[in-house]
Amino acid sequence: MNHMPLKTAAYAAHSATTPLEPWSLERRDPGVEEVLIEILFCGVCHSDLHFVRNEWHNAVYPMVPGHEIVGKVTQVGSSVSKYKVGDTVGVGCFVDSCRSCAACTSGEEQYCESGATFTYNAPDKHGTAMTYGGYSTQIVVDQNYVVRVPENLPLYAAAPLLCAGITTYSPLRHFGVGEGTKVAVVGLGGLGHMAVKFAKAMGAHVTVLSQSEKKRQDAMALGADDYLATSDPATFENNVKRFDFILDTVSAEHDLNAYLTLVRLDGRMVLVGVPDPTPLSAMPLIFARRSLSGSLIGGIRETQEMLDFCGEKGIVCEVEMISMSQINEAYERMLKSDVRYRFVIDMASLK
Ligand code: NAP
Ligand code: ZN
Ligand code: ZN
């Protein structure tokens, strides 16, 4: 049989300290259970920057980041039943897992006991190379790791739902945030702004804790009920034990102990941001029987549930569209918290 290489334009990082550059890779022919997806838009997650700059000490180069992928199915394998050519689909942070462990069989593949295969910078089960992500024009994925994007959502604004969306939706649901829960969202970035939208849609009373006063108006426009600047020491003095639930989306080092004091007796703080190691004291946990948890993205079933919820409620992300060649500048702006509230790459700029 003739093999037609699926030559794919991409942007790759070649080291932790050099800018991302144009690159090209070859996608495999779709297997019987796989679909080929033309990538139309890809969101830019702060995790992309952590990975590219080797802040998590596991980078393998060349690296093609991107795990907020939306596009159209352009080819399907012979046993694919869930999708057909032309369908609008999404791919998030992982593209495979063992499918048999307790986590996988309960639909929480992100916690796969053998380790889920992440969309990029992970050993690819289909070859000797690594997986390459969404800063590229097409991708091949098993149908069971693909989700359907509701047709009523503008596709470019839906892309970040695949990571920023599910990462905030999942802990809010898992820990039972609902009508009247007093929620605080720490950090109003890509994840944070989606946390505000979801918590509001679930009926919570939502306060944003941001570093400065700069994002107050935006926070209220996103639906927040209250806003506190963490640069003001009075914020920590006047709001002790105020919140039932804090979702911390901060990407850089900050004082977890100070934020914990804002949680009520028996309340909970959940970390989704991945800052550098931060000292943690037992005191604020002990003195009000508070819990501290973490949460990693979400499973395929819950990602689909989140997308359908967004379709019903008309929830999308606030995005700034960029061309692929603006990615390095976008990273610098993201580091300065200067993104309102997610960069999304228009992949047509790479063709
Ligand atoms: P982002 O858009 O850059 O937002 C992070 C926000 O954190 C900023 O907008 C800023 O909000 C706040 N912040 C930044 N530096 C700070 C500092 N020094 N002190 C206090 N606040 C600070 O990033 P993102 O894409 O939302 O990602 C956030 C974090 O979540 C990253 O670490 C990322 O790797 C992680 N993440 C985790 C998962 C998971 O599954 N758990 C999934 C995706 C991403 P203000 O301007 O409002 O202060
Ligand atoms: Zn992400
Ligand atoms: Zn598994």
Side-chain angles (χ1 to χ4, degrees), residues 166-177 245 247 270 272 294-295 297 302:
I166 184 60
T167 301
T168 49
Y169 179 91
S170 181
L172 293 169
R173 275 278 187 253
H174 182 78
F175 293 109
V177 166
F245 184 92
L247 190 63
V270 177
V272 286
S295 185
I297 43 180
E302 194 175 38

Side-chain angles (χ1 to χ4, degrees), residues 242-260:
R242 173 168 164 189
F243 302 108
D244 302 315
F245 184 92
I246 294 187
L247 190 63
D248 184 340
T249 75
V250 173
S251 51
E253 195 180 342
H254 58 298
D255 183 5
L256 295 184
N257 305 302
Y259 290 90
L260 274 168

Side-chain angles (χ1 to χ4, degrees), residues 45 47-48 67-68 93 163-164 342:
C45 180
S47 301
D48 298 347
H67 59 208
E68 294 184 335
C93 298
C163 175
R342 197 58 142 188

Side-chain angles (χ1 to χ4, degrees), residues 151-263:
E151 295 289 343
N152 63 318
L153 298 180
L155 207 49
Y156 65 94
L161 295 174
L162 276 301
C163 175
I166 184 60
T167 301
T168 49
Y169 179 91
S170 181
L172 293 169
R173 275 278 187 253
H174 182 78
F175 293 109
V177 166
E179 207 60 50
T181 310
K182 290 191 198 114
V183 170
V185 174
V186 188
L188 197 63
L191 268 57
H193 91 290
M194 291 315 298
V196 172
K197 290 194 183 199
F198 284 137
K200 267 318 274 182
M202 293 171 191
H205 181 280
V206 181
T207 302
V208 168
L209 272 69
S210 185
Q211 292 169 93
S212 69
E213 282 292 336
K214 285 187 214 158
K215 296 180 180 173
R216 178 181 289 275
Q217 273 191 338
D218 284 1
M220 303 319 264
L222 288 165
D225 300 287
D226 201 357
Y227 183 97
L228 299 167
T230 53
S231 51
D232 181 356
T235 290
F236 292 96
E237 287 155 19
N238 299 340
N239 294 282
V240 172
K241 295 191 181 164
R242 173 168 164 189
F243 302 108
D244 302 315
F245 184 92
I246 294 187
L247 190 63
D248 184 340
T249 75
V250 173
S251 51
E253 195 180 342
H254 58 298
D255 183 5
L256 295 184
N257 305 302
Y259 290 90
L260 274 168
T261 63
L262 307 183
V263 177

Side-chain angles (χ1 to χ4, degrees), residues 265-286:
L265 172 65
D266 285 331
R268 183 182 301 274
M269 179 153 109
V270 177
L271 307 180
V272 286
V274 191
D276 288 338
T278 306
L280 178 66
S281 162
M283 288 293 186
L285 296 174
I286 288 170

Side-chain angles (χ1 to χ4, degrees), residues 97-101 104 112-114:
S97 65
C98 86
R99 308 177 193 212
S100 57
C101 73
C104 284
C112 175
E113 285 163 24
S114 318

